[in-house]
Amino acid sequence: MASNLPIPLPPRTPTPPPDDPPNAPDNSSRLDAQDKDSLSPLVDSFPPQRGSLNTEGSNRLSPTRASFTLSPSDNVPQNSQGDNGSAGPFNFKTTTMAKSPVVKSNIGQRRGHKYKHSSISHQIFLEPPPRAPLALPNSLPIPTFKECRASMSKDQKTRFWWSVCHMFVAAYTLWSAHGSLAMTALSHLILFDSLGALLCVSVDVLSNFEVWKRSSVRHPFGLERAEVLAGFAMCVLLLFMGMDLISHNLQHFLESSGHEPHHSHAHERVSVGSVDVTALLAISSTLISAIGLKNHGRIGKAMRFGYIESLPSVLSNPSHFLTLSCSTLLLLLPLVSVRLYNWLDVLLSSTIAISMCVIGVRLVKTLGSMLLMSYSGPGVKDVIRDIEADPSVFGVDDARFWQVHYGLCMANLKLRVSGSEENLIRLRERISSLIRNRLGGGYGSGGQRWEVSLQFTIEKS
């Protein structure tokens, strides 16, 4: 049944409309005379009545030619155009490709779609708001030894050479101390004082540079904490020297008890009625360093002894008091008898050694807490008690007191308060002045500088 069906004919290619309108008489005559195969793709050229191409030049439309031309009008005869006719609508020209690599213009730029330059609805990546530059620099240059030497003034050079002379006095005292245990102990004290004098000169020279006091990101409090570290090392040295003197005295006591000594320790005293020149040098060098160089001034303020605090400025420092008292007693020892001299020499040496250990332990504790950013001075409990007694204060949630270096302390308190804004301003000023007067010694006393920061939590009454 399927074989009886007729086979459908393929669709016929539509004939393009003629160039001339259909009502023109010459176009109708041309259509009648047109061959049925004039539009066939198998025909090499169009019939001459189309008037568009030259039948003799079949290669005019060849793609191998650089250009081809068309007749300017249908009325122009075919033989009026040759191969060198006028230019047609397509003007193909031969171009030469560059052999060098193509250089991209967007090298180093981000690839992909840039949302920043798209419409407002697509701006999902917003730029952060501009920030103000930091008030603190990242770091400051640390001076070298050559720069420090070039920046020294005449007064600083004089003080430096005096500290060197003070060390020579300590060396001479140790060399001449073979006849007395107390003189050996005095030489250790003078060595400690000479190191303190050299440290004072070094601090004075380093203060010529900006990095010493100015804060930076790397050193928030400057290089002033380096002085605390150097003082801590000196205090450890003082403690070790005191222990060495104690062991030396024990060894001398065992020798005098009848035990045979491993090394001879013959102690010869100064002749009766004579003046001990070494003791005079020790007194003079200590006074010059204490008055001229302010030796151990910062250490004396950090380490407060209530027993000698009421004495004059030079004697209120425990290190100066110990050195001057020992030198004065050694200056008076030649006036006593020989037998009493031996007992007093051992007693004075033991007293100096124990005092050096006590001062060393006290200084190590004070400066160690300073290095750990804590405050070990007295009066903190009294200050907190006075703050809590204020009627506007409900309670103290947190209170932290800490010392950065010899000249700077900080207090951070968090309080629960109530009252008007004016009362809170007065309370803030009162607490700040209370801390500065109680812990810093008051205005003009030369004590530590306190920076107080308060945080109030307002309670509803």
Side-chain angles (χ1 to χ4, degrees):
M1 184 175 180
S3 59
N4 297 329
L5 294 176
I7 299 174
L9 297 175
R12 186 181 178 186
T13 303
T15 303
D19 293 336
D20 299 331
N23 53 1
D26 53 0
N27 291 336
S28 59
S29 60
R30 290 179 182 178
L31 289 174
D32 294 338
Q34 186 179 3
D35 188 7
K36 62 179 180 178
D37 294 331
S38 61
L39 296 179
S40 176
L42 300 179
V43 179
D44 293 337
S45 61
F46 290 96
Q49 60 268 21
R50 300 293 295 173
S52 60
L53 296 176
N54 190 358
T55 56
E56 295 179 357
S58 61
N59 56 352
R60 183 178 297 276
L61 297 179
S62 176
T64 58
R65 293 180 57 84
S67 61
F68 62 94
T69 56
L70 293 175
S71 300
S73 175
D74 291 340
N75 299 325
V76 181
Q78 296 180 2
N79 54 4
S80 64
Q81 289 187 0
D83 292 339
N84 297 327
S86 61
F90 302 100
N91 185 14
F92 297 103
K93 296 182 179 179
T94 305
T95 57
T96 305
M97 299 296 294
K99 296 182 180 180
S100 60
V102 180
V103 180
K104 295 184 178 181
S105 60
N106 58 347
I107 295 177
Q109 298 180 2
R110 182 174 62 87
R111 297 181 178 181
H113 185 70
K114 297 182 179 180
Y115 290 96
K116 176 181 177 181
H117 301 286
S118 60
S119 61
I120 299 178
S121 61
H122 293 287
Q123 288 183 0
I124 58 177
F125 298 104
L126 301 178
E127 292 185 355
R131 294 182 178 180
L134 293 176
L136 298 178
N138 292 330
S139 61
L140 294 173
I142 298 177
T144 60
F145 178 77
K146 185 177 180 180
E147 294 174 349
C148 292
R149 187 178 60 181
S151 66
M152 293 176 64
S153 61
K154 184 177 180 180
D155 180 59
Q156 291 173 351
K157 291 180 180 179
T158 304
R159 297 171 65 184
F160 170 75
W161 288 114
W162 167 249
S163 62
V164 175
C165 294
H166 201 168
M167 288 186 178
F168 279 110
V169 172
Y172 174 76
T173 306
L174 182 61
W175 175 76
S176 63
H178 61 277
S180 174
L181 290 174
M183 190 64 70
T184 304
L186 180 62
S187 65
H188 288 68
L189 287 175
I190 298 176
L191 177 62
F192 178 71
D193 291 342
S194 63
L195 291 177
L198 183 62
L199 178 61
C200 292
V201 176
S202 301
V203 170
D204 194 13
V205 172
L206 287 175
S207 61
N208 298 334
F209 299 91
E210 189 180 13
V211 69
W212 182 253
K213 289 186 177 181
R214 185 180 177 184
S215 301
S216 61
V217 177
R218 186 174 183 180
H219 302 285
F221 305 101
L223 286 182
E224 291 190 71
R225 283 177 61 84
E227 183 184 3
V228 182
L229 184 60
F232 181 81
M234 288 174 50
C235 297
V236 173
L237 178 62
L238 180 66
L239 180 61
F240 285 164
M241 288 190 299
M243 292 181 179
D244 179 69
L245 288 175
I246 291 176
S247 65
H248 192 74
N249 291 332
L250 290 177
Q251 184 178 2
H252 179 75
F253 175 76
L254 293 176
E255 291 174 1
S256 62
S257 300
H259 296 277
E260 183 179 357
H262 297 282
H263 303 281
S264 60
H265 288 273
H267 298 283
E268 301 176 359
R269 65 181 303 275
V270 183
S271 60
V272 179
S274 62
V275 178
D276 197 344
V277 180
T278 307
L280 285 177
L281 286 176
I283 293 174
S284 60
S285 61
T286 303
L287 288 176
I288 293 174
S289 296
I291 298 174
L293 300 183
K294 303 296 181 182
N295 190 17
H296 302 309
R298 295 180 179 87
I299 293 180
K301 292 178 181 179
M303 181 184 56
R304 301 171 182 175
F305 282 91
Y307 302 103
I308 61 176
E309 194 173 0
S310 59
L311 295 176
S313 59
V314 177
L315 297 177
S316 62
N317 193 310
S319 178
H320 297 158
F321 176 80
L322 188 59
T323 305
L324 292 175
S325 60
C326 178
S327 302
T328 305
L329 290 176
L330 284 175
L331 190 63
L332 298 175
L333 278 182
L335 302 179
V336 300
S337 61
V338 177
R339 186 174 182 180
L340 186 60
Y341 179 90
N342 294 329
W343 283 102
L344 289 178
D345 185 74
V346 175
L347 180 61
L348 183 59
S349 176
S350 302
T351 304
I352 294 175
I354 295 174
S355 301
M356 290 172 66
C357 291
V358 172
I359 295 175
V361 170
R362 183 74 175 270
L363 282 174
V364 165
K365 181 181 178 181
T366 303
L367 299 182
S369 62
M370 197 181 302
L371 289 175
L372 296 176
M373 305 291 282
S374 62
Y375 180 73
S376 60
V380 176
K381 294 182 179 179
D382 296 337
V383 169
I384 296 178
R385 189 184 303 113
D386 293 342
I387 293 175
E388 291 177 344
D390 193 279
S392 301
V393 178
F394 283 94
V396 179
D397 294 338
D398 191 10
R400 298 184 182 275
F401 298 84
W402 44 296
Q403 187 171 0
V404 180
H405 48 76
Y406 293 117
L408 178 61
C409 299
M410 303 188 73
N412 307 106
L413 291 90
K414 185 178 181 181
L415 310 176
R416 288 181 286 107
V417 298
S418 65
S420 61
E421 185 176 356
E422 296 179 357
N423 293 334
L424 295 182
I425 294 175
R426 294 193 189 98
L427 178 63
R428 187 183 297 274
E429 295 177 354
R430 178 180 176 275
I431 293 176
S432 300
S433 62
L434 177 65
I435 293 175
R436 293 189 179 98
N437 293 330
R438 290 286 186 86
L439 303 180
Y443 178 78
S445 62
Q448 293 91 355
R449 180 170 58 92
W450 279 86
E451 292 186 359
V452 183
S453 61
L454 303 173
Q455 181 180 356
F456 290 162
T457 303
I458 301 177
E459 298 284 341
K460 295 181 180 180
S461 57

mmCIF file of all heavy atoms in Angstrom, residues 348-390:
data_model
loop_
_atom_site.group_PDB
_atom_site.id
_atom_site.type_symbol
_atom_site.label_atom_id
_atom_site.label_comp_id
_atom_site.label_asym_id
_atom_site.label_seq_id
_atom_site.Cartn_x
_atom_site.Cartn_y
_atom_site.Cartn_z
ATOM 1 N N LEU A 348 82.764 44.251 109.775
ATOM 2 C CA LEU A 348 82.387 45.217 108.735
ATOM 3 C C LEU A 348 82.266 44.537 107.374
ATOM 4 O O LEU A 348 81.344 44.831 106.601
ATOM 5 C CB LEU A 348 83.420 46.336 108.684
ATOM 6 C CG LEU A 348 83.160 47.475 107.699
ATOM 7 C CD1 LEU A 348 81.839 48.152 108.008
ATOM 8 C CD2 LEU A 348 84.305 48.491 107.741
ATOM 9 N N SER A 349 83.161 43.627 107.075
ATOM 10 C CA SER A 349 83.080 42.910 105.809
ATOM 11 C C SER A 349 81.802 42.069 105.721
ATOM 12 O O SER A 349 81.132 42.054 104.681
ATOM 13 C CB SER A 349 84.317 42.031 105.633
ATOM 14 O OG SER A 349 84.229 41.260 104.454
ATOM 15 N N SER A 350 81.461 41.384 106.799
ATOM 16 C CA SER A 350 80.233 40.573 106.799
ATOM 17 C C SER A 350 78.992 41.452 106.669
ATOM 18 O O SER A 350 78.029 41.104 105.966
ATOM 19 C CB SER A 350 80.153 39.746 108.080
ATOM 20 O OG SER A 350 81.285 38.911 108.202
ATOM 21 N N THR A 351 79.006 42.596 107.338
ATOM 22 C CA THR A 351 77.855 43.505 107.254
ATOM 23 C C THR A 351 77.682 44.042 105.838
ATOM 24 O O THR A 351 76.557 44.115 105.311
ATOM 25 C CB THR A 351 78.045 44.667 108.234
ATOM 26 O OG1 THR A 351 78.247 44.155 109.557
ATOM 27 C CG2 THR A 351 76.834 45.582 108.224
ATOM 28 N N ILE A 352 78.773 44.409 105.187
ATOM 29 C CA ILE A 352 78.693 44.912 103.805
ATOM 30 C C ILE A 352 78.204 43.815 102.860
ATOM 31 O O ILE A 352 77.383 44.073 101.965
ATOM 32 C CB ILE A 352 80.060 45.452 103.365
ATOM 33 C CG1 ILE A 352 80.431 46.691 104.187
ATOM 34 C CG2 ILE A 352 80.060 45.789 101.883
ATOM 35 C CD1 ILE A 352 81.809 47.211 103.890
ATOM 36 N N ALA A 353 78.690 42.580 103.047
ATOM 37 C CA ALA A 353 78.275 41.483 102.172
ATOM 38 C C ALA A 353 76.780 41.203 102.321
ATOM 39 O O ALA A 353 76.061 41.028 101.316
ATOM 40 C CB ALA A 353 79.088 40.235 102.495
ATOM 41 N N ILE A 354 76.288 41.181 103.555
ATOM 42 C CA ILE A 354 74.852 40.939 103.758
ATOM 43 C C ILE A 354 74.027 42.098 103.201
ATOM 44 O O ILE A 354 72.970 41.897 102.587
ATOM 45 C CB ILE A 354 74.573 40.718 105.258
ATOM 46 C CG1 ILE A 354 75.263 39.432 105.733
ATOM 47 C CG2 ILE A 354 73.082 40.638 105.521
ATOM 48 C CD1 ILE A 354 75.171 39.200 107.224
ATOM 49 N N SER A 355 74.507 43.319 103.401
ATOM 50 C CA SER A 355 73.788 44.478 102.867
ATOM 51 C C SER A 355 73.744 44.459 101.343
ATOM 52 O O SER A 355 72.718 44.812 100.736
ATOM 53 C CB SER A 355 74.449 45.769 103.349
ATOM 54 O OG SER A 355 74.455 45.840 104.755
ATOM 55 N N MET A 356 74.835 44.036 100.720
ATOM 56 C CA MET A 356 74.841 43.931 99.255
ATOM 57 C C MET A 356 73.839 42.897 98.772
ATOM 58 O O MET A 356 73.140 43.114 97.764
ATOM 59 C CB MET A 356 76.247 43.577 98.764
ATOM 60 C CG MET A 356 77.259 44.697 98.932
ATOM 61 S SD MET A 356 78.946 44.188 98.553
ATOM 62 C CE MET A 356 78.817 43.848 96.809
ATOM 63 N N CYS A 357 73.717 41.793 99.478
ATOM 64 C CA CYS A 357 72.731 40.776 99.088
ATOM 65 C C CYS A 357 71.310 41.289 99.266
ATOM 66 O O CYS A 357 70.433 41.055 98.411
ATOM 67 C CB CYS A 357 72.946 39.509 99.908
ATOM 68 S SG CYS A 357 74.472 38.616 99.529
ATOM 69 N N VAL A 358 71.074 42.012 100.387
ATOM 70 C CA VAL A 358 69.725 42.544 100.624
ATOM 71 C C VAL A 358 69.349 43.570 99.562
ATOM 72 O O VAL A 358 68.242 43.535 98.989
ATOM 73 C CB VAL A 358 69.649 43.148 102.042
ATOM 74 C CG1 VAL A 358 68.329 43.881 102.237
ATOM 75 C CG2 VAL A 358 69.805 42.063 103.097
ATOM 76 N N ILE A 359 70.266 44.488 99.278
ATOM 77 C CA ILE A 359 69.987 45.500 98.248
ATOM 78 C C ILE A 359 69.840 44.855 96.877
ATOM 79 O O ILE A 359 68.972 45.243 96.078
ATOM 80 C CB ILE A 359 71.106 46.560 98.250
ATOM 81 C CG1 ILE A 359 71.106 47.334 99.567
ATOM 82 C CG2 ILE A 359 70.931 47.521 97.085
ATOM 83 C CD1 ILE A 359 72.250 48.323 99.690
ATOM 84 N N GLY A 360 70.678 43.846 96.589
ATOM 85 C CA GLY A 360 70.583 43.166 95.297
ATOM 86 C C GLY A 360 69.260 42.457 95.111
ATOM 87 O O GLY A 360 68.632 42.549 94.047
ATOM 88 N N VAL A 361 68.797 41.768 96.159
ATOM 89 C CA VAL A 361 67.504 41.070 96.067
ATOM 90 C C VAL A 361 66.373 42.073 95.896
ATOM 91 O O VAL A 361 65.443 41.871 95.096
ATOM 92 C CB VAL A 361 67.301 40.186 97.313
ATOM 93 C CG1 VAL A 361 65.878 39.650 97.360
ATOM 94 C CG2 VAL A 361 68.296 39.040 97.321
ATOM 95 N N ARG A 362 66.446 43.169 96.646
ATOM 96 C CA ARG A 362 65.392 44.184 96.543
ATOM 97 C C ARG A 362 65.365 44.813 95.154
ATOM 98 O O ARG A 362 64.278 45.023 94.562
ATOM 99 C CB ARG A 362 65.647 45.255 97.618
ATOM 100 C CG ARG A 362 64.593 46.346 97.679
ATOM 101 C CD ARG A 362 63.314 45.862 98.311
ATOM 102 N NE ARG A 362 62.367 46.949 98.469
ATOM 103 C CZ ARG A 362 62.288 47.735 99.541
ATOM 104 N NH1 ARG A 362 63.130 47.525 100.568
ATOM 105 N NH2 ARG A 362 61.383 48.683 99.626
ATOM 106 N N LEU A 363 66.524 45.110 94.615
ATOM 107 C CA LEU A 363 66.575 45.703 93.286
ATOM 108 C C LEU A 363 66.146 44.724 92.192
ATOM 109 O O LEU A 363 65.468 45.109 91.232
ATOM 110 C CB LEU A 363 67.993 46.208 93.001
ATOM 111 C CG LEU A 363 68.389 47.538 93.640
ATOM 112 C CD1 LEU A 363 69.856 47.825 93.394
ATOM 113 C CD2 LEU A 363 67.544 48.664 93.088
ATOM 114 N N VAL A 364 66.554 43.464 92.322
ATOM 115 C CA VAL A 364 66.160 42.455 91.326
ATOM 116 C C VAL A 364 64.646 42.295 91.321
ATOM 117 O O VAL A 364 64.014 42.188 90.252
ATOM 118 C CB VAL A 364 66.869 41.121 91.619
ATOM 119 C CG1 VAL A 364 66.212 39.985 90.846
ATOM 120 C CG2 VAL A 364 68.337 41.211 91.254
ATOM 121 N N LYS A 365 64.031 42.317 92.479
ATOM 122 C CA LYS A 365 62.573 42.190 92.560
ATOM 123 C C LYS A 365 61.883 43.410 91.962
ATOM 124 O O LYS A 365 60.902 43.284 91.205
ATOM 125 C CB LYS A 365 62.159 42.007 94.015
ATOM 126 C CG LYS A 365 60.667 41.835 94.205
ATOM 127 C CD LYS A 365 60.321 41.670 95.682
ATOM 128 C CE LYS A 365 58.814 41.557 95.866
ATOM 129 N NZ LYS A 365 58.460 41.419 97.306
ATOM 130 N N THR A 366 62.381 44.604 92.276
ATOM 131 C CA THR A 366 61.749 45.828 91.782
ATOM 132 C C THR A 366 61.890 45.967 90.272
ATOM 133 O O THR A 366 60.908 46.214 89.557
ATOM 134 C CB THR A 366 62.362 47.054 92.473
ATOM 135 O OG1 THR A 366 62.207 46.914 93.887
ATOM 136 C CG2 THR A 366 61.686 48.326 92.011
ATOM 137 N N LEU A 367 63.116 45.795 89.782
ATOM 138 C CA LEU A 367 63.334 45.950 88.345
ATOM 139 C C LEU A 367 62.761 44.785 87.549
ATOM 140 O O LEU A 367 62.355 44.961 86.396
ATOM 141 C CB LEU A 367 64.835 46.093 88.061
ATOM 142 C CG LEU A 367 65.520 47.303 88.714
ATOM 143 C CD1 LEU A 367 66.982 47.361 88.311
ATOM 144 C CD2 LEU A 367 64.814 48.587 88.343
ATOM 145 N N GLY A 368 62.724 43.592 88.161
ATOM 146 C CA GLY A 368 62.093 42.462 87.475
ATOM 147 C C GLY A 368 60.602 42.680 87.273
ATOM 148 O O GLY A 368 60.054 42.376 86.205
ATOM 149 N N SER A 369 59.934 43.210 88.290
ATOM 150 C CA SER A 369 58.508 43.530 88.124
ATOM 151 C C SER A 369 58.302 44.648 87.111
ATOM 152 O O SER A 369 57.302 44.677 86.394
ATOM 153 C CB SER A 369 57.915 43.928 89.473
ATOM 154 O OG SER A 369 58.550 45.099 89.976
ATOM 155 N N MET A 370 59.256 45.578 87.022
ATOM 156 C CA MET A 370 59.163 46.642 86.024
ATOM 157 C C MET A 370 59.311 46.078 84.619
ATOM 158 O O MET A 370 58.616 46.517 83.678
ATOM 159 C CB MET A 370 60.227 47.697 86.305
ATOM 160 C CG MET A 370 59.987 49.030 85.614
ATOM 161 S SD MET A 370 61.301 50.215 85.982
ATOM 162 C CE MET A 370 61.195 50.273 87.765
ATOM 163 N N LEU A 371 60.200 45.105 84.456
ATOM 164 C CA LEU A 371 60.343 44.467 83.145
ATOM 165 C C LEU A 371 59.103 43.663 82.788
ATOM 166 O O LEU A 371 58.782 43.510 81.602
ATOM 167 C CB LEU A 371 61.577 43.572 83.135
ATOM 168 C CG LEU A 371 62.939 44.279 83.154
ATOM 169 C CD1 LEU A 371 64.064 43.263 83.255
ATOM 170 C CD2 LEU A 371 63.121 45.129 81.908
ATOM 171 N N LEU A 372 58.396 43.144 83.790
ATOM 172 C CA LEU A 372 57.164 42.384 83.555
ATOM 173 C C LEU A 372 55.941 43.285 83.495
ATOM 174 O O LEU A 372 54.807 42.780 83.517
ATOM 175 C CB LEU A 372 56.985 41.333 84.647
ATOM 176 C CG LEU A 372 58.057 40.234 84.702
ATOM 177 C CD1 LEU A 372 57.814 39.315 85.892
ATOM 178 C CD2 LEU A 372 58.054 39.433 83.417
ATOM 179 N N MET A 373 56.143 44.596 83.424
ATOM 180 C CA MET A 373 55.058 45.573 83.290
ATOM 181 C C MET A 373 54.083 45.485 84.462
ATOM 182 O O MET A 373 52.862 45.368 84.284
ATOM 183 C CB MET A 373 54.320 45.369 81.965
ATOM 184 C CG MET A 373 55.203 45.410 80.743
ATOM 185 S SD MET A 373 55.869 47.036 80.393
ATOM 186 C CE MET A 373 54.464 47.813 79.646
ATOM 187 N N SER A 374 54.606 45.532 85.676
ATOM 188 C CA SER A 374 53.774 45.573 86.883
ATOM 189 C C SER A 374 54.359 46.620 87.825
ATOM 190 O O SER A 374 55.508 47.048 87.674
ATOM 191 C CB SER A 374 53.714 44.205 87.562
ATOM 192 O OG SER A 374 55.009 43.797 87.982
ATOM 193 N N TYR A 375 53.553 47.007 88.821
ATOM 194 C CA TYR A 375 53.967 48.035 89.765
ATOM 195 C C TYR A 375 54.073 47.407 91.146
ATOM 196 O O TYR A 375 53.126 46.779 91.642
ATOM 197 C CB TYR A 375 52.950 49.176 89.778
ATOM 198 C CG TYR A 375 53.303 50.300 90.730
ATOM 199 C CD1 TYR A 375 54.339 51.178 90.436
ATOM 200 C CD2 TYR A 375 52.592 50.479 91.914
ATOM 201 C CE1 TYR A 375 54.668 52.205 91.295
ATOM 202 C CE2 TYR A 375 52.906 51.514 92.779
ATOM 203 C CZ TYR A 375 53.951 52.369 92.467
ATOM 204 O OH TYR A 375 54.283 53.385 93.323
ATOM 205 N N SER A 376 55.245 47.583 91.757
ATOM 206 C CA SER A 376 55.503 46.973 93.060
ATOM 207 C C SER A 376 55.621 47.994 94.179
ATOM 208 O O SER A 376 56.030 47.653 95.286
ATOM 209 C CB SER A 376 56.806 46.149 92.995
ATOM 210 O OG SER A 376 57.913 46.973 92.639
ATOM 211 N N GLY A 377 55.291 49.254 93.905
ATOM 212 C CA GLY A 377 55.409 50.282 94.925
ATOM 213 C C GLY A 377 54.258 50.248 95.918
ATOM 214 O O GLY A 377 53.210 49.628 95.682
ATOM 215 N N PRO A 378 54.412 50.924 97.046
ATOM 216 C CA PRO A 378 53.351 50.950 98.060
ATOM 217 C C PRO A 378 52.276 51.972 97.724
ATOM 218 O O PRO A 378 52.438 52.835 96.864
ATOM 219 C CB PRO A 378 54.114 51.346 99.336
ATOM 220 C CG PRO A 378 55.245 52.199 98.835
ATOM 221 C CD PRO A 378 55.635 51.644 97.486
ATOM 222 N N GLY A 379 51.154 51.874 98.442
ATOM 223 C CA GLY A 379 50.095 52.862 98.337
ATOM 224 C C GLY A 379 48.962 52.519 97.411
ATOM 225 O O GLY A 379 47.995 53.304 97.309
ATOM 226 N N VAL A 380 49.005 51.379 96.735
ATOM 227 C CA VAL A 380 47.946 51.035 95.782
ATOM 228 C C VAL A 380 46.630 50.716 96.517
ATOM 229 O O VAL A 380 45.548 51.155 96.112
ATOM 230 C CB VAL A 380 48.390 49.857 94.893
ATOM 231 C CG1 VAL A 380 47.262 49.425 93.972
ATOM 232 C CG2 VAL A 380 49.613 50.236 94.076
ATOM 233 N N LYS A 381 46.726 49.969 97.597
ATOM 234 C CA LYS A 381 45.509 49.607 98.340
ATOM 235 C C LYS A 381 44.834 50.828 98.941
ATOM 236 O O LYS A 381 43.594 50.921 98.970
ATOM 237 C CB LYS A 381 45.866 48.596 99.428
ATOM 238 C CG LYS A 381 46.346 47.256 98.889
ATOM 239 C CD LYS A 381 46.632 46.288 100.022
ATOM 240 C CE LYS A 381 47.100 44.935 99.474
ATOM 241 N NZ LYS A 381 47.402 43.976 100.570
ATOM 242 N N ASP A 382 45.621 51.780 99.418
ATOM 243 C CA ASP A 382 45.032 52.997 99.984
ATOM 244 C C ASP A 382 44.325 53.820 98.914
ATOM 245 O O ASP A 382 43.253 54.397 99.161
ATOM 246 C CB ASP A 382 46.131 53.837 100.645
ATOM 247 C CG ASP A 382 46.773 53.119 101.820
ATOM 248 O OD1 ASP A 382 46.114 52.214 102.391
ATOM 249 O OD2 ASP A 382 47.933 53.430 102.150
ATOM 250 N N VAL A 383 44.877 53.862 97.733
ATOM 251 C CA VAL A 383 44.252 54.606 96.638
ATOM 252 C C VAL A 383 42.916 53.970 96.251
ATOM 253 O O VAL A 383 41.908 54.667 96.069
ATOM 254 C CB VAL A 383 45.209 54.680 95.431
ATOM 255 C CG1 VAL A 383 44.491 55.208 94.196
ATOM 256 C CG2 VAL A 383 46.405 55.563 95.748
ATOM 257 N N ILE A 384 42.883 52.661 96.127
ATOM 258 C CA ILE A 384 41.623 51.981 95.771
ATOM 259 C C ILE A 384 40.581 52.158 96.865
ATOM 260 O O ILE A 384 39.382 52.336 96.590
ATOM 261 C CB ILE A 384 41.903 50.494 95.498
ATOM 262 C CG1 ILE A 384 42.817 50.353 94.267
ATOM 263 C CG2 ILE A 384 40.612 49.730 95.272
ATOM 264 C CD1 ILE A 384 43.183 48.933 93.940
ATOM 265 N N ARG A 385 41.024 52.144 98.117
ATOM 266 C CA ARG A 385 40.085 52.341 99.229
ATOM 267 C C ARG A 385 39.473 53.738 99.201
ATOM 268 O O ARG A 385 38.268 53.908 99.431
ATOM 269 C CB ARG A 385 40.801 52.107 100.551
ATOM 270 C CG ARG A 385 39.858 52.068 101.749
ATOM 271 C CD ARG A 385 40.615 51.923 103.053
ATOM 272 N NE ARG A 385 41.449 50.722 103.044
ATOM 273 C CZ ARG A 385 42.773 50.747 103.050
ATOM 274 N NH1 ARG A 385 43.426 51.907 103.046
ATOM 275 N NH2 ARG A 385 43.460 49.625 103.050
ATOM 276 N N ASP A 386 40.267 54.751 98.884
ATOM 277 C CA ASP A 386 39.743 56.114 98.794
ATOM 278 C C ASP A 386 38.807 56.286 97.604
ATOM 279 O O ASP A 386 37.834 57.054 97.670
ATOM 280 C CB ASP A 386 40.899 57.105 98.697
ATOM 281 C CG ASP A 386 41.727 57.171 99.966
ATOM 282 O OD1 ASP A 386 41.216 56.727 101.023
ATOM 283 O OD2 ASP A 386 42.887 57.636 99.908
ATOM 284 N N ILE A 387 39.091 55.598 96.507
ATOM 285 C CA ILE A 387 38.206 55.687 95.340
ATOM 286 C C ILE A 387 36.855 55.043 95.643
ATOM 287 O O ILE A 387 35.794 55.565 95.278
ATOM 288 C CB ILE A 387 38.876 55.032 94.119
ATOM 289 C CG1 ILE A 387 40.105 55.842 93.687
ATOM 290 C CG2 ILE A 387 37.902 54.918 92.957
ATOM 291 C CD1 ILE A 387 40.900 55.201 92.573
ATOM 292 N N GLU A 388 36.861 53.915 96.307
ATOM 293 C CA GLU A 388 35.600 53.249 96.651
ATOM 294 C C GLU A 388 34.794 54.029 97.669
ATOM 295 O O GLU A 388 33.554 53.867 97.742
ATOM 296 C CB GLU A 388 35.892 51.844 97.189
ATOM 297 C CG GLU A 388 36.423 50.883 96.143
ATOM 298 C CD GLU A 388 36.779 49.526 96.741
ATOM 299 O OE1 GLU A 388 36.910 49.437 97.975
ATOM 300 O OE2 GLU A 388 36.916 48.562 95.963
ATOM 301 N N ALA A 389 35.445 54.871 98.473
ATOM 302 C CA ALA A 389 34.728 55.661 99.476
ATOM 303 C C ALA A 389 33.968 56.835 98.881
ATOM 304 O O ALA A 389 33.156 57.462 99.574
ATOM 305 C CB ALA A 389 35.712 56.165 100.538
ATOM 306 N N ASP A 390 34.204 57.160 97.628
ATOM 307 C CA ASP A 390 33.490 58.263 96.998
ATOM 308 C C ASP A 390 32.021 57.907 96.832
ATOM 309 O O ASP A 390 31.681 56.784 96.419
ATOM 310 C CB ASP A 390 34.116 58.574 95.631
ATOM 311 C CG ASP A 390 33.641 59.894 95.071
ATOM 312 O OD1 ASP A 390 32.538 59.937 94.497
ATOM 313 O OD2 ASP A 390 34.395 60.875 95.205
#
